[in-house]
Amino acid sequence: MRVVVDLNRCQSYGQCVFAAPEVFRFQGAESLEYDHVPDAGSDQAVERAALACPAQAILLGRSAEAGVVSQAVAAEMR
């Protein structure tokens, strides 16, 4: 899975950090860092993080389909 966070939309609510702390973390007060290609074992937590994001700033794609947003997650985000 590939993860992209639209940092222009991100409002630093931190829901992603709580949902998937192995992937998302704050560096300083509001600067979000994340793994762009997390381990496959983190997929479910990352999908929960994307759904929990109030700003809908997290986009997910499958690693073989770089840049393609997961259809299921995209539908949930609408």
Side-chain angles (χ1 to χ4, degrees):
M1 172 180 295
R2 296 183 64 87
V3 178
V4 175
V5 177
D6 182 343
L7 296 175
N8 291 319
R9 295 184 81 171
C10 177
Q11 298 295 311
S12 300
Y13 290 109
Q15 297 302 309
C16 58
V17 176
F18 292 111
E22 66 279 5
V23 176
F24 301 95
R25 60 204 154 275
F26 282 119
Q27 178 69 30
E30 295 181 0
S31 179
L32 182 69
E33 291 184 340
Y34 61 99
D35 295 331
H36 296 267
V37 185
D39 294 336
S42 301
D43 285 0
Q44 195 170 24
V46 171
E47 288 181 359
R48 278 196 306 267
L51 292 173
C53 178
Q56 298 182 352
I58 301 171
L59 303 176
L60 306 178
R62 301 294 168 207
S63 58
E65 303 168 359
V68 178
V69 176
S70 168
Q71 296 294 325
V73 172
E76 296 277 340
M77 295 174 90
R78 290 183 194 142

